[in-house]
Amino acid sequence: GLDVRSCRGCMVVDGGGGTVEAAVLSCGGVVVSRTLRQGGRAMDEAITQALREELGVMVSSWTAERLKLRLGSALPEREGVMEVRGRSLASGLPVSCTVRAETVARALRPAVDGILSLVREVLSQTPPEAAGDLLESGILLTGGLACLDGLAQAVAAATGLEAYAAEDAPLCAVMGAGRLSEAPAGLWRQEERTGLVCALPQREFPI
């Protein structure tokens, strides 16, 4: 796992259902962070809206999520099709239709662009000392959105830094909270040894 107590700067982008948060961490604290108030559910809604406009079909949020997982990509090159069922907006009757990967990619493009802008904003606010560390440590993607096809490649292309998804990315937040609840005192002792005071969720970067 990522050692957030190290004084070497590292960056984490956590994408969940409701928000995406990007943060640079060092010495067990937050150097700089920003939050985007849209996540996986906003992507599902964008897919639903795209099918309404392009195919004239209304599908459930569950179907939209399946399309995101099966065909969704942060890159336009992905190919594939998926048969889905829904309700025709014209007749009101049940219908089935074929959805292509490029339709889903177009629907996700604004959300992907928002994530990339968020990452670049955090990097632009990162102090030089921590920014230099990111050339080695790269950008770690966690949360359910880390599983979106091509997202790590898109982040890497937008920043020039290595980007990679964590193992068991959708479970990282839960696993981290569990470890923190098991040994919080040890984390505070680490802060005392370094002479820094941890003031979560935000702290000044040591100069």
Side-chain angles (χ1 to χ4, degrees):
L2 189 66
D3 184 6
V4 297
R5 293 174 293 178
S6 169
C7 286
R8 188 180 75 161
C10 58
M11 186 172 187
V12 177
V13 179
D14 180 39
T19 62
V20 178
E21 183 170 9
V24 175
L25 312 174
S26 179
C27 300
V30 178
V31 178
V32 58
S33 69
R34 296 290 185 274
T35 300
L36 182 66
R37 299 295 178 183
Q38 64 175 17
R41 286 191 293 272
M43 290 184 173
D44 298 341
E45 293 171 4
I47 294 172
T48 301
Q49 185 63 27
L51 297 190
R52 288 170 59 98
E53 296 175 355
E54 297 186 24
L55 302 178
V57 175
M58 178 179 291
V59 299
S60 67
S61 58
W62 180 77
T63 297
E65 184 176 20
R66 287 178 57 219
L67 284 167
K68 179 181 66 181
L69 296 175
R70 291 273 300 274
L71 300 180
S73 178
L75 303 173
E77 295 85 4
R78 188 171 188 181
E79 299 180 352
V81 296
M82 178 176 168
E83 194 79 14
V84 299
R85 298 175 181 178
R87 177 166 56 84
S88 169
L89 294 176
S91 66
L93 300 177
V95 295
S96 65
C97 63
T98 300
V99 180
R100 303 181 66 84
E102 52 262 37
T103 299
V104 179
R106 281 196 303 271
L108 297 182
R109 191 69 247 173
V112 171
D113 287 343
I115 294 173
L116 300 181
S117 295
L118 176 73
V119 172
R120 286 192 292 261
E121 180 184 357
V122 170
L123 289 173
S124 70
Q125 300 297 319
T126 301
E129 294 85 353
D133 293 337
L134 300 182
L135 292 172
E136 296 182 4
S137 59
I139 301 174
L140 177 67
L141 307 181
T142 69
L145 287 184
C147 300
L148 180 66
D149 178 75
L151 183 58
Q153 295 95 311
V155 171
T159 62
L161 300 173
E162 180 186 5
Y164 55 97
E167 294 184 17
D168 298 321
L171 302 178
C172 282
V174 175
M175 295 169 62
R179 292 181 181 180
L180 182 63
S181 66
E182 292 173 359
L187 296 180
W188 283 102
R189 283 197 298 270
Q190 171 70 17
E191 291 294 329
E192 292 169 2
R193 285 197 299 270
T194 60
L196 300 174
V197 178
C198 183
L200 297 177
Q202 194 77 19
R203 64 179 284 271
E204 292 296 325
F205 186 74
I207 302 301

